[in-house]
Amino acid sequence: MRSAPSIWWATPSSLDAERRYRWACAGHPAPLLLRDGCASALGTDHRGPLLGLLPGHAYATAAIALRPGDLLLLSTDGMVERRGEDAVPGERVIMARAGSGRG
């Protein structure tokens, strides 16, 4: 009997020597950037399929230059979703709390 392929939700990312953060969206919510007391989700125009769903898929990436004092929050959708409900309200709560410093 053949087992089902593994599927991974991920935000593969890297940070280079120039403090440039590069990420690919493979199923997880976008990273949140806390900068100057404001939290915002990084863009997801480059969102791809779940990691492992399409073997050999070339994921697009996006990049942002990080400044001293910036904070990135990478999370799983399990932090913000409730069974049977949309994730958007939970994402808004995370952004509001991160921006207020009440994390």
Side-chain angles (χ1 to χ4, degrees):
M1 181 183 226
R2 221 174 122 191
S3 64
S6 294
I7 296 177
W8 296 83
W9 292 262
T11 306
S13 57
S14 65
L15 183 63
D16 66 22
E18 287 79 37
R19 300 179 53 91
R20 198 144 178 86
Y21 175 69
R22 182 172 300 281
W23 76 99
C25 288
H28 265 89
L32 297 180
L33 173 64
L34 182 61
R35 176 178 281 167
D36 299 328
C38 296
S40 59
L42 299 181
T44 58
D45 294 341
H46 63 290
R47 187 176 299 273
L50 303 177
L51 193 61
L53 185 62
L54 301 174
H57 179 78
Y59 288 84
T61 62
I64 187 169
L66 296 178
R67 301 178 194 159
D70 283 353
L71 177 70
L72 281 175
L73 173 64
L74 291 99
S75 65
T76 177
D77 46 354
M79 275 184 65
V80 296
E81 288 180 350
R82 289 189 175 163
R83 194 169 297 160
E85 294 182 20
D86 187 17
V88 172
E91 290 171 355
R92 287 187 186 132
V93 168
I94 297 278
M95 286 196 324
R97 289 196 176 165
S100 72
R102 295 182 317 160

